[in-house]
Amino acid sequence: MGDTVSLPNLSTKVVAIAAGEAHTLLLTGDGRVYSWGRGILGRLGQGSEHDKHFPVEVKFGSEEDSVRIVGIAAGAYHSLALAGSNTSQLSYHL
């Protein structure tokens, strides 16, 4: 136990949901990603293989990076996030 749960603000708009074999991703309108489910192989992007029973925000880079995610996808054992910026787009493998 001892997990810190970081649920999205209920007034935040959900713009996309992606489901893998045993995990789920949620993208909010402000570019944040939340994940939960089976953590095996690190597919939740939380830096561990622990299972998460509630949505936990996925962190991308440092706070100064201000990465805004614009798309998500999930497969059987992996998750992907597409980051948008003024000059380019980056793909993150969670």
PDB file of all heavy atoms in Angstrom, residues 27-33 57-71 81-86 88-92 94:
ATOM      1  N   LEU A  27      -6.104  10.784 -21.142  1.00  0.00           N
ATOM      2  CA  LEU A  27      -5.501  12.068 -21.510  1.00  0.00           C
ATOM      3  C   LEU A  27      -6.504  13.168 -21.228  1.00  0.00           C
ATOM      4  O   LEU A  27      -7.660  13.076 -21.635  1.00  0.00           O
ATOM      5  CB  LEU A  27      -5.128  12.076 -22.996  1.00  0.00           C
ATOM      6  CG  LEU A  27      -4.594  13.375 -23.586  1.00  0.00           C
ATOM      7  CD1 LEU A  27      -3.285  13.791 -22.929  1.00  0.00           C
ATOM      8  CD2 LEU A  27      -4.427  13.235 -25.094  1.00  0.00           C
ATOM      9  N   THR A  28      -6.068  14.203 -20.514  1.00  0.00           N
ATOM     10  CA  THR A  28      -6.949  15.327 -20.205  1.00  0.00           C
ATOM     11  C   THR A  28      -6.671  16.497 -21.143  1.00  0.00           C
ATOM     12  O   THR A  28      -5.623  16.554 -21.791  1.00  0.00           O
ATOM     13  CB  THR A  28      -6.780  15.787 -18.732  1.00  0.00           C
ATOM     14  OG1 THR A  28      -5.431  16.217 -18.534  1.00  0.00           O
ATOM     15  CG2 THR A  28      -7.115  14.654 -17.772  1.00  0.00           C
ATOM     16  N   GLY A  29      -7.605  17.422 -21.185  1.00  0.00           N
ATOM     17  CA  GLY A  29      -7.499  18.571 -22.071  1.00  0.00           C
ATOM     18  C   GLY A  29      -6.312  19.466 -21.798  1.00  0.00           C
ATOM     19  O   GLY A  29      -5.877  20.216 -22.673  1.00  0.00           O
ATOM     20  N   ASP A  30      -5.763  19.401 -20.593  1.00  0.00           N
ATOM     21  CA  ASP A  30      -4.589  20.215 -20.279  1.00  0.00           C
ATOM     22  C   ASP A  30      -3.278  19.479 -20.567  1.00  0.00           C
ATOM     23  O   ASP A  30      -2.210  19.916 -20.173  1.00  0.00           O
ATOM     24  CB  ASP A  30      -4.630  20.703 -18.832  1.00  0.00           C
ATOM     25  CG  ASP A  30      -4.694  19.581 -17.813  1.00  0.00           C
ATOM     26  OD1 ASP A  30      -4.698  18.398 -18.208  1.00  0.00           O
ATOM     27  OD2 ASP A  30      -4.751  19.879 -16.602  1.00  0.00           O
ATOM     28  N   GLY A  31      -3.349  18.335 -21.277  1.00  0.00           N
ATOM     29  CA  GLY A  31      -2.150  17.636 -21.716  1.00  0.00           C
ATOM     30  C   GLY A  31      -1.534  16.704 -20.688  1.00  0.00           C
ATOM     31  O   GLY A  31      -0.390  16.296 -20.824  1.00  0.00           O
ATOM     32  N   ARG A  32      -2.294  16.331 -19.667  1.00  0.00           N
ATOM     33  CA  ARG A  32      -1.787  15.408 -18.653  1.00  0.00           C
ATOM     34  C   ARG A  32      -2.249  13.989 -18.966  1.00  0.00           C
ATOM     35  O   ARG A  32      -3.326  13.780 -19.511  1.00  0.00           O
ATOM     36  CB  ARG A  32      -2.273  15.800 -17.264  1.00  0.00           C
ATOM     37  CG  ARG A  32      -1.742  17.142 -16.820  1.00  0.00           C
ATOM     38  CD  ARG A  32      -2.379  17.548 -15.499  1.00  0.00           C
ATOM     39  NE  ARG A  32      -2.058  18.908 -15.173  1.00  0.00           N
ATOM     40  CZ  ARG A  32      -1.186  19.263 -14.232  1.00  0.00           C
ATOM     41  NH1 ARG A  32      -0.566  18.335 -13.532  1.00  0.00           N
ATOM     42  NH2 ARG A  32      -0.961  20.531 -13.996  1.00  0.00           N
ATOM     43  N   VAL A  33      -1.407  13.018 -18.591  1.00  0.00           N
ATOM     44  CA  VAL A  33      -1.708  11.610 -18.806  1.00  0.00           C
ATOM     45  C   VAL A  33      -1.775  10.909 -17.452  1.00  0.00           C
ATOM     46  O   VAL A  33      -0.933  11.137 -16.588  1.00  0.00           O
ATOM     47  CB  VAL A  33      -0.632  10.936 -19.688  1.00  0.00           C
ATOM     48  CG1 VAL A  33      -0.887   9.446 -19.822  1.00  0.00           C
ATOM     49  CG2 VAL A  33      -0.571  11.596 -21.054  1.00  0.00           C
ATOM     50  N   GLU A  57      -0.953  10.178 -12.203  1.00  0.00           N
ATOM     51  CA  GLU A  57      -0.392  11.006 -13.274  1.00  0.00           C
ATOM     52  C   GLU A  57       0.991  10.513 -13.676  1.00  0.00           C
ATOM     53  O   GLU A  57       1.826  10.192 -12.837  1.00  0.00           O
ATOM     54  CB  GLU A  57      -0.310  12.470 -12.832  1.00  0.00           C
ATOM     55  CG  GLU A  57       0.165  13.373 -13.959  1.00  0.00           C
ATOM     56  CD  GLU A  57       0.140  14.844 -13.583  1.00  0.00           C
ATOM     57  OE1 GLU A  57      -0.267  15.190 -12.457  1.00  0.00           O
ATOM     58  OE2 GLU A  57       0.550  15.637 -14.439  1.00  0.00           O
ATOM     59  N   VAL A  58       1.224  10.456 -14.987  1.00  0.00           N
ATOM     60  CA  VAL A  58       2.524  10.091 -15.539  1.00  0.00           C
ATOM     61  C   VAL A  58       3.321  11.378 -15.719  1.00  0.00           C
ATOM     62  O   VAL A  58       2.825  12.345 -16.307  1.00  0.00           O
ATOM     63  CB  VAL A  58       2.367   9.372 -16.904  1.00  0.00           C
ATOM     64  CG1 VAL A  58       3.719   9.031 -17.494  1.00  0.00           C
ATOM     65  CG2 VAL A  58       1.499   8.134 -16.757  1.00  0.00           C
ATOM     66  N   LYS A  59       4.546  11.399 -15.220  1.00  0.00           N
ATOM     67  CA  LYS A  59       5.404  12.582 -15.324  1.00  0.00           C
ATOM     68  C   LYS A  59       6.331  12.430 -16.523  1.00  0.00           C
ATOM     69  O   LYS A  59       6.914  11.375 -16.737  1.00  0.00           O
ATOM     70  CB  LYS A  59       6.234  12.758 -14.054  1.00  0.00           C
ATOM     71  CG  LYS A  59       5.394  12.916 -12.803  1.00  0.00           C
ATOM     72  CD  LYS A  59       4.620  14.209 -12.836  1.00  0.00           C
ATOM     73  CE  LYS A  59       3.852  14.386 -11.530  1.00  0.00           C
ATOM     74  NZ  LYS A  59       3.054  15.582 -11.513  1.00  0.00           N
ATOM     75  N   PHE A  60       6.477  13.487 -17.301  1.00  0.00           N
ATOM     76  CA  PHE A  60       7.351  13.512 -18.462  1.00  0.00           C
ATOM     77  C   PHE A  60       8.404  14.578 -18.255  1.00  0.00           C
ATOM     78  O   PHE A  60       8.090  15.767 -18.229  1.00  0.00           O
ATOM     79  CB  PHE A  60       6.561  13.829 -19.741  1.00  0.00           C
ATOM     80  CG  PHE A  60       5.514  12.802 -20.058  1.00  0.00           C
ATOM     81  CD1 PHE A  60       4.212  12.959 -19.611  1.00  0.00           C
ATOM     82  CD2 PHE A  60       5.840  11.682 -20.790  1.00  0.00           C
ATOM     83  CE1 PHE A  60       3.246  12.015 -19.898  1.00  0.00           C
ATOM     84  CE2 PHE A  60       4.879  10.726 -21.079  1.00  0.00           C
ATOM     85  CZ  PHE A  60       3.581  10.895 -20.634  1.00  0.00           C
ATOM     86  N   GLY A  61       9.666  14.182 -18.110  1.00  0.00           N
ATOM     87  CA  GLY A  61      10.743  15.145 -17.912  1.00  0.00           C
ATOM     88  C   GLY A  61      10.610  15.868 -16.584  1.00  0.00           C
ATOM     89  O   GLY A  61       9.929  15.426 -15.672  1.00  0.00           O
ATOM     90  N   SER A  62      11.264  17.023 -16.492  1.00  0.00           N
ATOM     91  CA  SER A  62      11.215  17.818 -15.266  1.00  0.00           C
ATOM     92  C   SER A  62      10.052  18.806 -15.327  1.00  0.00           C
ATOM     93  O   SER A  62       9.435  18.996 -16.367  1.00  0.00           O
ATOM     94  CB  SER A  62      12.523  18.576 -15.081  1.00  0.00           C
ATOM     95  OG  SER A  62      12.665  19.556 -16.094  1.00  0.00           O
ATOM     96  N   GLU A  63       9.763  19.434 -14.207  1.00  0.00           N
ATOM     97  CA  GLU A  63       8.685  20.423 -14.155  1.00  0.00           C
ATOM     98  C   GLU A  63       8.946  21.592 -15.107  1.00  0.00           C
ATOM     99  O   GLU A  63       8.025  22.185 -15.643  1.00  0.00           O
ATOM    100  CB  GLU A  63       8.516  20.947 -12.719  1.00  0.00           C
ATOM    101  CG  GLU A  63       8.027  19.899 -11.736  1.00  0.00           C
ATOM    102  CD  GLU A  63       6.617  19.426 -12.054  1.00  0.00           C
ATOM    103  OE1 GLU A  63       5.776  20.249 -12.446  1.00  0.00           O
ATOM    104  OE2 GLU A  63       6.370  18.222 -11.898  1.00  0.00           O
ATOM    105  N   GLU A  64      10.220  21.924 -15.334  1.00  0.00           N
ATOM    106  CA  GLU A  64      10.563  23.041 -16.225  1.00  0.00           C
ATOM    107  C   GLU A  64      10.324  22.719 -17.701  1.00  0.00           C
ATOM    108  O   GLU A  64      10.198  23.610 -18.522  1.00  0.00           O
ATOM    109  CB  GLU A  64      12.032  23.448 -16.037  1.00  0.00           C
ATOM    110  CG  GLU A  64      12.365  23.985 -14.657  1.00  0.00           C
ATOM    111  CD  GLU A  64      12.640  22.862 -13.655  1.00  0.00           C
ATOM    112  OE1 GLU A  64      13.273  21.852 -14.028  1.00  0.00           O
ATOM    113  OE2 GLU A  64      12.196  22.996 -12.510  1.00  0.00           O
ATOM    114  N   ASP A  65      10.296  21.421 -18.034  1.00  0.00           N
ATOM    115  CA  ASP A  65      10.133  21.015 -19.434  1.00  0.00           C
ATOM    116  C   ASP A  65       8.755  21.368 -19.988  1.00  0.00           C
ATOM    117  O   ASP A  65       8.613  21.585 -21.175  1.00  0.00           O
ATOM    118  CB  ASP A  65      10.362  19.513 -19.593  1.00  0.00           C
ATOM    119  CG  ASP A  65      11.810  19.114 -19.394  1.00  0.00           C
ATOM    120  OD1 ASP A  65      12.692  19.978 -19.557  1.00  0.00           O
ATOM    121  OD2 ASP A  65      12.047  17.941 -19.073  1.00  0.00           O
ATOM    122  N   SER A  66       7.750  21.408 -19.142  1.00  0.00           N
ATOM    123  CA  SER A  66       6.357  21.695 -19.508  1.00  0.00           C
ATOM    124  C   SER A  66       5.928  20.953 -20.780  1.00  0.00           C
ATOM    125  O   SER A  66       5.533  21.544 -21.767  1.00  0.00           O
ATOM    126  CB  SER A  66       6.108  23.196 -19.649  1.00  0.00           C
ATOM    127  OG  SER A  66       6.782  23.726 -20.761  1.00  0.00           O
ATOM    128  N   VAL A  67       6.038  19.638 -20.742  1.00  0.00           N
ATOM    129  CA  VAL A  67       5.640  18.789 -21.858  1.00  0.00           C
ATOM    130  C   VAL A  67       4.124  18.699 -21.887  1.00  0.00           C
ATOM    131  O   VAL A  67       3.486  18.430 -20.883  1.00  0.00           O
ATOM    132  CB  VAL A  67       6.258  17.379 -21.721  1.00  0.00           C
ATOM    133  CG1 VAL A  67       5.755  16.457 -22.804  1.00  0.00           C
ATOM    134  CG2 VAL A  67       7.772  17.465 -21.744  1.00  0.00           C
ATOM    135  N   ARG A  68       3.540  18.960 -23.062  1.00  0.00           N
ATOM    136  CA  ARG A  68       2.094  18.848 -23.226  1.00  0.00           C
ATOM    137  C   ARG A  68       1.810  17.683 -24.152  1.00  0.00           C
ATOM    138  O   ARG A  68       2.236  17.666 -25.306  1.00  0.00           O
ATOM    139  CB  ARG A  68       1.513  20.129 -23.806  1.00  0.00           C
ATOM    140  CG  ARG A  68      -0.006  20.129 -23.866  1.00  0.00           C
ATOM    141  CD  ARG A  68      -0.530  21.479 -24.352  1.00  0.00           C
ATOM    142  NE  ARG A  68      -1.932  21.662 -24.110  1.00  0.00           N
ATOM    143  CZ  ARG A  68      -2.913  21.019 -24.729  1.00  0.00           C
ATOM    144  NH1 ARG A  68      -2.631  20.103 -25.626  1.00  0.00           N
ATOM    145  NH2 ARG A  68      -4.176  21.273 -24.448  1.00  0.00           N
ATOM    146  N   ILE A  69       1.116  16.686 -23.640  1.00  0.00           N
ATOM    147  CA  ILE A  69       0.807  15.492 -24.421  1.00  0.00           C
ATOM    148  C   ILE A  69      -0.460  15.741 -25.232  1.00  0.00           C
ATOM    149  O   ILE A  69      -1.444  16.284 -24.729  1.00  0.00           O
ATOM    150  CB  ILE A  69       0.624  14.270 -23.494  1.00  0.00           C
ATOM    151  CG1 ILE A  69       1.874  14.058 -22.632  1.00  0.00           C
ATOM    152  CG2 ILE A  69       0.288  13.025 -24.293  1.00  0.00           C
ATOM    153  CD1 ILE A  69       3.147  13.821 -23.405  1.00  0.00           C
ATOM    154  N   VAL A  70      -0.435  15.338 -26.518  1.00  0.00           N
ATOM    155  CA  VAL A  70      -1.573  15.575 -27.402  1.00  0.00           C
ATOM    156  C   VAL A  70      -2.214  14.284 -27.904  1.00  0.00           C
ATOM    157  O   VAL A  70      -3.266  14.316 -28.531  1.00  0.00           O
ATOM    158  CB  VAL A  70      -1.174  16.471 -28.596  1.00  0.00           C
ATOM    159  CG1 VAL A  70      -0.751  17.846 -28.107  1.00  0.00           C
ATOM    160  CG2 VAL A  70      -0.070  15.830 -29.426  1.00  0.00           C
ATOM    161  N   GLY A  71      -1.583  13.126 -27.641  1.00  0.00           N
ATOM    162  CA  GLY A  71      -2.147  11.859 -28.069  1.00  0.00           C
ATOM    163  C   GLY A  71      -1.609  10.712 -27.246  1.00  0.00           C
ATOM    164  O   GLY A  71      -0.489  10.793 -26.733  1.00  0.00           O
ATOM    165  N   ALA A  81       2.866   7.997 -25.762  1.00  0.00           N
ATOM    166  CA  ALA A  81       2.316   9.340 -25.633  1.00  0.00           C
ATOM    167  C   ALA A  81       2.988  10.228 -26.667  1.00  0.00           C
ATOM    168  O   ALA A  81       4.196  10.152 -26.873  1.00  0.00           O
ATOM    169  CB  ALA A  81       2.563   9.887 -24.229  1.00  0.00           C
ATOM    170  N   LEU A  82       2.213  11.066 -27.343  1.00  0.00           N
ATOM    171  CA  LEU A  82       2.724  11.996 -28.341  1.00  0.00           C
ATOM    172  C   LEU A  82       2.686  13.391 -27.759  1.00  0.00           C
ATOM    173  O   LEU A  82       1.627  13.873 -27.340  1.00  0.00           O
ATOM    174  CB  LEU A  82       1.873  11.936 -29.612  1.00  0.00           C
ATOM    175  CG  LEU A  82       2.289  12.861 -30.749  1.00  0.00           C
ATOM    176  CD1 LEU A  82       3.663  12.456 -31.279  1.00  0.00           C
ATOM    177  CD2 LEU A  82       1.250  12.825 -31.849  1.00  0.00           C
ATOM    178  N   ALA A  83       3.858  14.026 -27.702  1.00  0.00           N
ATOM    179  CA  ALA A  83       3.961  15.378 -27.138  1.00  0.00           C
ATOM    180  C   ALA A  83       3.989  16.399 -28.259  1.00  0.00           C
ATOM    181  O   ALA A  83       4.644  16.200 -29.276  1.00  0.00           O
ATOM    182  CB  ALA A  83       5.224  15.504 -26.290  1.00  0.00           C
ATOM    183  N   GLY A  84       3.256  17.485 -28.079  1.00  0.00           N
ATOM    184  CA  GLY A  84       3.251  18.556 -29.062  1.00  0.00           C
ATOM    185  C   GLY A  84       4.006  19.761 -28.527  1.00  0.00           C
ATOM    186  O   GLY A  84       4.074  19.990 -27.329  1.00  0.00           O
ATOM    187  N   SER A  85       4.606  20.511 -29.415  1.00  0.00           N
ATOM    188  CA  SER A  85       5.278  21.758 -29.044  1.00  0.00           C
ATOM    189  C   SER A  85       5.180  22.707 -30.222  1.00  0.00           C
ATOM    190  O   SER A  85       4.676  22.353 -31.281  1.00  0.00           O
ATOM    191  CB  SER A  85       6.741  21.507 -28.662  1.00  0.00           C
ATOM    192  OG  SER A  85       7.489  21.187 -29.809  1.00  0.00           O
ATOM    193  N   ASN A  86       5.700  23.900 -30.063  1.00  0.00           N
ATOM    194  CA  ASN A  86       5.656  24.897 -31.140  1.00  0.00           C
ATOM    195  C   ASN A  86       6.525  24.508 -32.323  1.00  0.00           C
ATOM    196  O   ASN A  86       6.243  24.866 -33.450  1.00  0.00           O
ATOM    197  CB  ASN A  86       6.090  26.259 -30.618  1.00  0.00           C
ATOM    198  CG  ASN A  86       5.085  26.818 -29.635  1.00  0.00           C
ATOM    199  OD1 ASN A  86       3.920  26.440 -29.644  1.00  0.00           O
ATOM    200  ND2 ASN A  86       5.540  27.702 -28.781  1.00  0.00           N
ATOM    201  N   SER A  88       8.192  21.083 -32.759  1.00  0.00           N
ATOM    202  CA  SER A  88       8.258  19.685 -33.172  1.00  0.00           C
ATOM    203  C   SER A  88       7.347  18.833 -32.304  1.00  0.00           C
ATOM    204  O   SER A  88       6.770  19.309 -31.340  1.00  0.00           O
ATOM    205  CB  SER A  88       9.697  19.170 -33.042  1.00  0.00           C
ATOM    206  OG  SER A  88      10.089  19.175 -31.692  1.00  0.00           O
ATOM    207  N   GLN A  89       7.247  17.577 -32.671  1.00  0.00           N
ATOM    208  CA  GLN A  89       6.492  16.633 -31.858  1.00  0.00           C
ATOM    209  C   GLN A  89       7.423  15.492 -31.460  1.00  0.00           C
ATOM    210  O   GLN A  89       8.241  15.036 -32.252  1.00  0.00           O
ATOM    211  CB  GLN A  89       5.288  16.093 -32.610  1.00  0.00           C
ATOM    212  CG  GLN A  89       4.232  17.150 -32.824  1.00  0.00           C
ATOM    213  CD  GLN A  89       2.947  16.556 -33.369  1.00  0.00           C
ATOM    214  OE1 GLN A  89       2.922  15.473 -33.910  1.00  0.00           O
ATOM    215  NE2 GLN A  89       1.866  17.290 -33.208  1.00  0.00           N
ATOM    216  N   LEU A  90       7.289  15.043 -30.224  1.00  0.00           N
ATOM    217  CA  LEU A  90       8.111  13.966 -29.696  1.00  0.00           C
ATOM    218  C   LEU A  90       7.213  12.822 -29.293  1.00  0.00           C
ATOM    219  O   LEU A  90       6.094  13.028 -28.821  1.00  0.00           O
ATOM    220  CB  LEU A  90       8.882  14.449 -28.464  1.00  0.00           C
ATOM    221  CG  LEU A  90       9.782  15.665 -28.647  1.00  0.00           C
ATOM    222  CD1 LEU A  90      10.269  16.146 -27.297  1.00  0.00           C
ATOM    223  CD2 LEU A  90      10.943  15.318 -29.545  1.00  0.00           C
ATOM    224  N   SER A  91       7.702  11.613 -29.451  1.00  0.00           N
ATOM    225  CA  SER A  91       6.957  10.439 -29.028  1.00  0.00           C
ATOM    226  C   SER A  91       7.639   9.845 -27.808  1.00  0.00           C
ATOM    227  O   SER A  91       8.860   9.700 -27.784  1.00  0.00           O
ATOM    228  CB  SER A  91       6.934   9.408 -30.164  1.00  0.00           C
ATOM    229  OG  SER A  91       6.283   8.241 -29.753  1.00  0.00           O
ATOM    230  N   TYR A  92       6.869   9.543 -26.776  1.00  0.00           N
ATOM    231  CA  TYR A  92       7.390   8.947 -25.554  1.00  0.00           C
ATOM    232  C   TYR A  92       6.870   7.533 -25.436  1.00  0.00           C
ATOM    233  O   TYR A  92       5.678   7.301 -25.552  1.00  0.00           O
ATOM    234  CB  TYR A  92       6.928   9.721 -24.313  1.00  0.00           C
ATOM    235  CG  TYR A  92       7.565  11.071 -24.161  1.00  0.00           C
ATOM    236  CD1 TYR A  92       6.965  12.197 -24.686  1.00  0.00           C
ATOM    237  CD2 TYR A  92       8.771  11.210 -23.488  1.00  0.00           C
ATOM    238  CE1 TYR A  92       7.541  13.447 -24.544  1.00  0.00           C
ATOM    239  CE2 TYR A  92       9.358  12.445 -23.340  1.00  0.00           C
ATOM    240  CZ  TYR A  92       8.734  13.570 -23.873  1.00  0.00           C
ATOM    241  OH  TYR A  92       9.305  14.778 -23.727  1.00  0.00           O
ATOM    242  N   LEU A  94       6.174   4.984 -22.772  1.00  0.00           N
ATOM    243  CA  LEU A  94       6.040   4.958 -21.328  1.00  0.00           C
ATOM    244  C   LEU A  94       6.677   3.717 -20.861  1.00  0.00           C
ATOM    245  O   LEU A  94       6.958   3.212 -20.015  1.00  0.00           O
ATOM    246  CB  LEU A  94       4.590   5.038 -20.894  1.00  0.00           C
ATOM    247  CG  LEU A  94       3.761   6.167 -21.476  1.00  0.00           C
ATOM    248  CD1 LEU A  94       2.390   6.180 -20.855  1.00  0.00           C
ATOM    249  CD2 LEU A  94       4.408   7.507 -21.277  1.00  0.00           C
TER     250      LEU A  94
END
